[in-house]
Amino acid sequence: MTLLALDALSVGWPGRAPVLSGLSLQLDPGARVALIGPNGAGKSSLFHTIAGVLAPQAGALRLQGQPLLTGGFDPRIALVFQQAEDQLFCPTLAEDVAFGARNLGLPDAQVQARCAQALADCGLSGLEDRPVHHLSGGEKRRACIAGALVMRPELLLLDEPSGGLDLRNRRRLITLLAGLEHAMLIASHDLELVLELCPRVVLIDQGGIRADGPARAVLGDAALMEAHGQEVPPSLTRPRASPVQK
Ligand SMILES: Nc1ncnc2c1ncn2[C@@H]1O[C@H](COP(=O)(O)OP(=O)(O)OP(=O)(O)O)[C@@H](O)[C@H]1O
Ligand SMILES: [Mg+2]
């Protein structure tokens, strides 16, 4: 069964013209799909709509065949916000990461176990008692990802997950995400990360979907990428290494 189905969806902010309209998209269980497009194209707005934070202006959203409601807590979906400050709000890191698991009504021991696992997966063990506003930018980003992972959702929405991460933590994130079975939509300008993680890429610009296909076909299409303010990622333009001549 299709996991997520968006049907003729219009996405926008109250009192303003739609950012995206007539958008239709389907996601299979376990699929990893990248959402790319220029600044202001509507990636974050779409995520807010799927996560039920922003009401759709028109159209329908379904998860596992059921309509998605705005304003309700749906444990099957977890959103990692682009701006960590929009997500983190508890006094300490451990409380913040545990919040989603507590919200699921799990017993305390299970909340603690999931929290410890998510902190370890995100390289945050040892910082449990740190006030969230005393974390570095990259630590905050990883705290947000840990806070989503504790929920073990059917669908992870990751908005610029590698933003502000150093190379070691970016690599740790890619390895972590590659090993997860959850379906994910990843909005990112980090196209090399996209190539490593997502077999399918959806390009949005000027109010709608401009391309939806295999990652290498979309990201490797120089004319398409240029027309939408993107560049073919270097690993697709570099000539393949030729065998060393003896
Ligand atoms: N809270 C808000 N209230 C009103 N308009 C908003 C709000 N957030 C975003 N917008 C507008 O919606 C449009 C789409 O913005 P959005 O943040 O979805 O783009 P994006 O594709 O995520 O861009 P970026 O690559 O910069 O993250 C922009 O024109 C933006 O100004
Ligand atoms: Mg955004």
Side-chain angles (χ1 to χ4, degrees):
M1 185 204 273
T2 301
L3 176 68
L4 176 74
L6 310 179
D7 186 18
L9 189 69
S10 280
V11 168
W13 297 88
R16 300 186 52 178
V19 177
L20 297 166
S21 36
L23 188 138
S24 294
L25 188 68
Q26 297 203 343
L27 213 71
D28 290 329
R32 286 205 295 262
V33 178
L35 186 63
I36 69 165
N39 292 142
K43 303 178 294 294
S44 298
S45 304
L46 177 59
F47 278 8
H48 280 78
T49 307
I50 298 171
V53 181
L54 179 64
Q57 295 187 341
L61 301 99
R62 283 194 176 73
L63 192 73
Q64 296 171 323
Q66 301 161 346
L68 276 174
L69 305 174
T70 307
F73 170 71
D74 192 321
R76 297 172 298 173
I77 301 179
L79 168 62
V80 176
F81 285 72
Q82 183 169 10
Q83 307 294 341
E85 288 74 13
D86 291 342
Q87 183 173 335
L88 304 173
F89 69 99
C90 292
T92 67
L93 172 63
E95 287 171 84
D96 213 296
V97 170
F99 180 81
R102 277 198 208 297
N103 231 351
L104 297 175
L106 297 172
D108 205 46
Q110 224 170 316
V111 171
Q112 298 306 333
R114 280 198 187 191
C115 188
Q117 180 71 53
L119 286 167
D121 285 345
C122 294
L124 292 168
S125 302
L127 297 178
E128 287 81 356
D129 298 329
R130 191 73 69 82
V132 287
H133 57 280
H134 287 176
L135 296 170
S136 80
E139 289 165 350
K140 282 182 185 160
R141 169 129 314 281
R142 289 184 277 136
C144 292
I145 295 166
L149 293 180
V150 286
M151 292 172 60
R152 311 223 170 134
E154 300 285 338
L155 175 61
L156 253 179
L157 303 171
L158 294 148
D159 203 348
E160 293 296 342
S162 63
L165 295 191
D166 65 35
L167 290 180
R168 180 172 40 200
N169 280 305
R170 176 180 175 277
R171 180 51 50 196
R172 193 201 306 252
L173 173 73
I174 291 173
T175 306
L176 172 67
L177 295 180
L180 296 178
E181 287 175 3
H182 319 280
M184 28 187 126
L185 265 173
I186 303 178
S188 190
H189 298 292
D190 181 348
L191 300 182
E192 297 290 352
L193 172 145
V194 164
L195 265 176
E196 286 196 51
L197 284 174
C198 301
R200 176 179 164 201
V201 171
V202 176
L203 166 65
I204 60 169
D205 193 15
Q206 294 153 348
I209 294 177
R210 299 293 155 233
D212 180 352
R216 286 175 169 266
V218 175
L219 299 177
D221 184 335
L224 173 77
M225 293 291 275
E226 196 181 323
H228 299 287
Q230 312 291 302
E231 278 180 9
V232 175
S235 64
L236 291 184
T237 58
R238 258 186 244 127
R240 279 182 196 276
S242 49
V244 178
Q245 301 286 320
K246 289 210 173 146

